[in-house]
Amino acid sequence: MSLRADSHAATSTLKKLAADMSNIIESLDTRELHVEGEEVDSEVLTDPKGTVCIPFSAIYHTHGFKEPGAQTYLTGCPVRVRVLEVERFTSTKKVPSPNVYTIELTHGEFVWHVKRKFKHFQEFHRELLRYKAFVRIPIPTRSHTVRRQSIKRGEPRQMPSLPHTAESTVREEHFSSRRKQLEDYLTNILKMPMYRNYHGTMEFVGVSQLSFIHDLGPKGIEGFIMKRSGGHRIPGLNCCGQGRMCYRWSKRWLVVKDSFLMYMKPDSGAISFVLLVDKEFNIKIGQKETETKYGLQIDNLSRSLILKCNSYRHAQWWRQGIDEFIRKHGKDFLMEHRFGSYAAVQENTLAKWYVNAKWYFEDVANAMEAAKEEIFITDWWLSPEIFMKRPVVEGNRWRLDCILKRKAQQGVRIFVMLYKEVELALGINSEYSKRTLMHLHPNIKVMRHPDHVSSSVYLWAHHEKLVIVDQSVAFVGGIDLAYGRWDDDEHRLTDVGSVKRASAAATKSLSTANLAAAAESTERVPLQPQGLAPECHLFERNADDAPDTSKMKGVGKPKKFSRFSIYKHLHKHGMHHSDSVSSIDSESNKGSIRSLKTGVGELLGETRFWHGKDYCNFVFKDWVQLDKPFADFIDRYTTPRMPWHDISSVVHGRAARDVARHFIQRWNFTKIMKPKYRSLSYPFLLPKSQQTAHELKYQVPEAVPATVQVIRSAADWSAGIKYHEESIHKAYISVIENSKHYIYIENQFFISCADDKVVWNKIGDAIAQRILKAHRENRRFRVYVVIPLLPGFEGDISTGGGNALQAIMHFNYRTMCRGENSILSQLKAEVGDKWINYISFCGLRTYAELEGKLVTELIYVHSKLLIADDNTVIIGSANINDRSMLGKRDSEMAIIVQDSDTVPSVMDGQEYRAGRFAQSLRLRCFRVVLGGSDLNPEHQDPVCDKFFKEVWIATAARNATIFDKVFRCLPSDQVNNLTQLRDFINKPKLANDDPVKAAEELKKIRGFLVQFPFRFLEEEYLLPSVGTKESMVPMEVWT
């Protein structure tokens, strides 16, 4: 109960009485107050091994400094005192107390020093005597009653005595006994709960509620200071006027930790500012530097904080105390690291990769379920109603909003930052996401940023996709927790839940999991197509073709199978609490058909994977009505979904702390920036110490050790920092330049090759230069680039695709093959047609059968991945374009992983030590796009001619030719202008004219890989034409 609340509860008479009593006590001569007897605190005399730690969550429950009941000390743990040294100060002035004592205090694992003069001891002693008398008087206010009740009966007894001898008369040879006397005095005070918990004692020994929290790291200097308002680096955060009239001075309790400083309001205990240690961290003192008498100025990338001390020597103590402590415990934060990153290279970090969202979503859900204190989420887009484990067999248990609500009810604090879109340009409805999440529970806090008008940031976005659990496990990659993202390696086009439309209606309930009851056998029952259209029999394959059977959906089922609800079935057998079955049978090649072993025989049948808005094809139609999550917005019986191919990762320990630090920096900046977030209901976040990062309470299974560095794109508008950071761009260029054998890139965009007018990032140039270097040295070198066949903008490609879609196509083609700056132009100038031996550009496409018709669709590549030499990987949210790479534009986050564990392999025909993380990821990517298995021997050597030419290029060319023949797909090399486009789409398709022959052709397809059509619309000017709304947008939006 706060003091303020108490005083409201008391009547005005009680208030007056309390004030009078307090004044009487304040003026009492404390020498008259002595009560006989002795008091000892039994709980701190013993030093039990089981010291109770203060939980990290205590940072969200701070109290006013004078309020009783706040836990400051570790339970069952004494505070040990040693007076280490005495400094004598000589002065021309007559100083009554020239000696300064350095006192070392130890409490559990925490050791800290305070400096005090003898006069401070005298003042402290007098204050304690006043407090002792005050406590004995029964003043009828609630706070005083609580304070009196907190002191055990018979507790106020004799205080230890302070030496009476004046300091100036003590000779040097008597200092050791004086030190011992002060030591004993303080030790005895700290043994008595009544005095130890008094706010004056805490101030004297420099402790607060946040001193002894294990995860905040070692204890630094603390104390009261005066701080000046303003000093923020971001325009608009400071007072508009100049001069002293505009400043406010406030009394605050300053706390120094190993990687940050913070100050608290003494009356409420609220944390009111956090200043992170970074490469610009610097402390100055003096009137000249700080414009303040006895001033202390602390700078970092975000703020120049001015404090006022009560003497020059006091300012010196603060400077020295902060400086020594940070240099000892936080030196990593003071340096700029490799690639100009804010984060150090962290060795022996557990890391894991994900190809496609199925396994990513599952691991994120499990990690959230294990959260004890905090969950941080930031996304470009977040859909609260998405299912994290599929197929759905446990009702809503694994729906994102349900997980977050459950954890919030358990006391976990959840902080979400969403990109606030320009509503006219984007339909992701972040306002709906925020409102939905905030209504779940008060422990869930959601911020949106930027405010486009007040911050004048119209063009740039927050693009990171992060989930951080307890600052110990951090998921980093390209996958938003949003509609359309969930997919697995099969990249299905259809999800009707049934062959016949009539029976599909039954599956439209929210449970959506209707399965067929199987025979009692525990073996999988083969599903033979029965009574299907004749062409469907064409897709029966032999075992060798198994990976591709996933292409044909809706393969019917034996009529003897009866339909029933899996929920009723599981309930009947007492299994409704069992784990989701979404993970079982992941290698199945039967498309949506899944089996579930329940111990009562096997269940077989079909389920729906994408519910409502999750079934999407955003080039066909962008999302609408997101506030109706379970209503379909495209007809799943006529339109195939667009599969989503993506990459993500998870890191643990120190690297996870670094990811969390970026989130915290952004959260705290947004809190200051937007007035609506300045209330206490949106707390400041504190970074946990790197010193406790190895204590992993939860670990994602199958992670491997590697060397990891966190890299980012951040700037003043996005993170509140003075200088922008583009460490992702620098890392990409460095990895490309230093690669020895190959580069494998998957990316949503491919916009590079700097002309220093429109495009500035140099990734494309680095690729071209690396290939030319290999050519000059006569060495094999391969570059694989996989990007989407079309940009992800709504538009009908059969009529040209729309302005936005064409603008992105223009810049992609400008990077690959059109114009003097393109990679192929740079290569052809020196190597002619031999470029084909070095680089390959591909996209992904698949096909299926939907309601008896053959359909095809491109697979949308959303990955942001680079692998080099089977030993280095970059995974993140950053696209290959200026928006993501330049640092000043979109905010991004990525990790660079370098393997420490190696496995024997082959590279360019030679024995090679490949990294465990990098090689396993490359093999999985190759398996997904080429078909086959992870252990396919053809895929082992990514550099040899046999693989590059006979597997990679041959597969891509053959698949592209077949798709062209059967479906006449767009984009196509046969269409160079819009006139040809109209002719092309009006010509008959084999898929319609001769489905039997078409199905025969499609059997020859392997995997999803297709050659990228370089000549599509090459005769057209693809940039927006004058007069369109897209032409009014600055060019930087597209690049």
Side-chain angles (χ1 to χ4, degrees), residues 768-1005:
Q769 290 309 310
R770 181 62 193 86
I771 290 172
L772 292 174
K773 180 178 177 228
H775 177 72
R776 289 170 201 141
E777 294 171 356
N778 201 20
R779 291 176 183 271
R780 279 205 186 95
F781 187 80
R782 314 291 190 193
V783 178
Y784 302 88
V785 180
V786 179
I787 59 172
L789 290 165
L790 288 173
F793 289 87
E794 183 180 343
D796 183 358
I797 193 61
S798 65
T799 60
N803 290 322
L805 197 143
Q806 287 188 2
I808 301 296
M809 275 169 53
H810 166 86
F811 286 108
N812 279 339
Y813 278 124
R814 180 198 161 281
T815 307
M816 291 186 282
C817 56
R818 296 182 192 169
E820 59 182 355
N821 295 104
S822 70
I823 292 175
L824 291 197
S825 293
Q826 291 184 49
L827 296 180
K828 284 175 182 174
E830 189 166 327
V831 306
D833 288 341
K834 289 185 182 170
W835 66 266
I836 202 159
N837 294 324
Y838 295 101
I839 190 164
S840 160
F841 293 97
C842 293
L844 304 179
R845 179 176 284 284
T846 188
Y847 65 93
E849 187 243 334
L850 177 62
E851 296 285 287
K853 283 176 66 179
L854 290 173
V855 291
T856 183
E857 187 53 271
L858 64 89
I859 295 170
Y860 193 63
V861 179
H862 190 260
S863 326
K864 297 94 174 56
L865 168 71
L866 181 146
I867 311 174
D869 298 345
D870 276 2
N871 60 24
T872 306
V873 176
I874 299 176
I875 294 173
S877 65
N879 295 314
I880 295 178
N881 60 12
D882 280 359
R883 289 186 68 114
S884 290
M885 289 294 169
L886 294 187
K888 296 175 183 176
R889 300 184 182 182
D890 290 1
S891 61
E892 307 283 3
M893 174 126 294
I895 57 165
I896 175 167
V897 181
Q898 287 161 308
D899 272 296
S900 46
D901 281 15
T902 59
V903 292
S905 184
V906 182
M907 187 74 74
D908 200 6
Q910 307 292 312
E911 285 186 5
Y912 187 74
R913 299 297 301 182
R916 188 187 298 276
F917 183 95
Q919 191 201 41
S920 59
L921 173 55
R922 176 182 62 79
L923 289 174
R924 172 58 59 86
C925 291
F926 278 13
R927 188 201 86 182
V928 171
V929 303
L930 292 167
S933 73
D934 275 357
L935 301 171
N936 191 329
E938 284 187 327
H939 299 173
Q940 284 299 307
D941 185 344
V943 178
C944 68
D945 274 354
K946 184 171 169 43
F947 173 76
F948 185 68
K949 293 178 178 171
E950 296 174 30
V951 178
W952 184 269
I953 288 177
T955 301
R958 182 177 64 243
N959 288 350
T961 304
I962 296 167
F963 275 121
D964 223 26
K965 190 172 172 183
V966 173
F967 294 107
R968 301 184 69 74
C969 310
L970 291 171
S972 165
D973 273 334
Q974 296 175 44
V975 177
N976 307 139
N977 56 49
L978 292 173
T979 311
Q980 289 177 2
L981 178 61
R982 282 188 286 278
D983 297 342
F984 184 80
I985 58 166
N986 290 325
K987 284 184 183 168
K989 300 175 184 173
L990 188 64
N992 297 343
D993 291 1
D994 191 346
V996 177
K997 189 172 180 198
E1000 281 295 325
E1001 288 292 330
L1002 291 171
K1003 278 187 190 175
K1004 300 172 191 167
I1005 282 180

Side-chain angles (χ1 to χ4, degrees), residues 478-532:
I479 308 177
D480 287 301
L481 303 179
Y483 295 133
R485 271 61 176 172
W486 190 94
D487 214 330
D488 60 15
D489 295 351
E490 295 176 31
H491 291 315
R492 298 171 188 80
L493 288 186
T494 65
D495 189 38
V496 294
S498 160
V499 187
K500 301 285 182 286
R501 191 184 292 256
S503 58
T507 68
K508 280 202 170 181
S509 67
L510 283 192
S511 76
T512 66
N514 292 312
L515 287 102
E520 289 288 298
S521 138
T522 54
E523 295 294 313
R524 172 184 284 279
V525 179
L527 293 180
Q528 296 298 333
Q530 291 187 6
L532 290 176

Side-chain angles (χ1 to χ4, degrees), residues 69-84:
Q71 183 183 359
T72 301
Y73 302 95
L74 304 171
T75 314
C77 187
V79 183
R80 306 193 187 283
V81 181
R82 282 172 62 214
V83 178
L84 295 183

Side-chain angles (χ1 to χ4, degrees), residues 414-447:
I414 296 162
F415 302 100
V416 182
M417 276 191 293
L418 299 176
Y419 163 55
K420 186 175 181 181
E421 75 282 11
V422 179
E423 287 169 29
L424 293 171
L426 272 176
I428 56 178
N429 203 342
S430 62
E431 200 269 333
Y432 167 76
S433 302
K434 176 181 177 178
R435 192 172 65 243
T436 306
L437 292 173
M438 291 281 280
H439 281 161
L440 295 174
H441 195 275
N443 277 353
I444 300 175
K445 299 291 176 211
V446 184
M447 287 183 180

Side-chain angles (χ1 to χ4, degrees), residues 407-613:
K407 295 313 290 184
Q409 287 169 340
Q410 292 168 15
V412 173
R413 296 292 184 125
I414 296 162
F415 302 100
V416 182
M417 276 191 293
L418 299 176
Y419 163 55
K420 186 175 181 181
E421 75 282 11
V422 179
E423 287 169 29
L424 293 171
L426 272 176
I428 56 178
N429 203 342
S430 62
E431 200 269 333
Y432 167 76
S433 302
K434 176 181 177 178
R435 192 172 65 243
T436 306
L437 292 173
M438 291 281 280
H439 281 161
L440 295 174
H441 195 275
N443 277 353
I444 300 175
K445 299 291 176 211
V446 184
M447 287 183 180
R448 297 193 302 153
H449 186 259
D451 262 354
H452 304 284
V453 178
S454 63
S455 65
S456 68
V457 177
Y458 294 98
L459 306 180
W460 315 134
H462 287 298
H463 198 242
E464 307 96 315
K465 297 96 171 53
L466 308 175
V467 178
I468 304 146
V469 174
D470 292 339
Q471 298 191 37
S472 297
V473 179
F475 294 86
V476 181
I479 308 177
D480 287 301
L481 303 179
Y483 295 133
R485 271 61 176 172
W486 190 94
D487 214 330
D488 60 15
D489 295 351
E490 295 176 31
H491 291 315
R492 298 171 188 80
L493 288 186
T494 65
D495 189 38
V496 294
S498 160
V499 187
K500 301 285 182 286
R501 191 184 292 256
S503 58
T507 68
K508 280 202 170 181
S509 67
L510 283 192
S511 76
T512 66
N514 292 312
L515 287 102
E520 289 288 298
S521 138
T522 54
E523 295 294 313
R524 172 184 284 279
V525 179
L527 293 180
Q528 296 298 333
Q530 291 187 6
L532 290 176
E535 63 264 29
C536 291
H537 289 290
L538 298 163
F539 298 109
E540 292 170 20
R541 310 260 180 113
N542 58 31
D544 297 339
D545 294 337
D548 297 292
T549 52
S550 61
K551 302 300 191 323
M552 289 300 135
K553 302 305 176 281
V555 286
K557 40 182 192 307
K559 292 193 171 69
K560 63 181 179 182
F561 287 1
S562 60
R563 303 183 71 77
F564 75 111
S565 161
I566 190 170
Y567 294 114
K568 287 180 190 163
H569 188 85
L570 290 177
H571 223 282
K572 187 173 158 189
H573 294 284
M575 295 190 58
H576 51 288
H577 296 303
S578 64
D579 282 346
S580 163
V581 295
S582 56
S583 58
I584 59 120
D585 199 17
S586 59
E587 298 303 313
S588 156
N589 298 311
K590 296 288 187 211
S592 309
I593 298 157
R594 283 290 182 266
S595 65
L596 166 61
K597 291 184 181 175
T598 62
V600 292
E602 208 174 49
L603 309 179
L604 279 179
E606 299 167 33
T607 179
R608 210 172 250 195
F609 288 93
W610 293 274
H611 308 275
K613 296 290 183 293

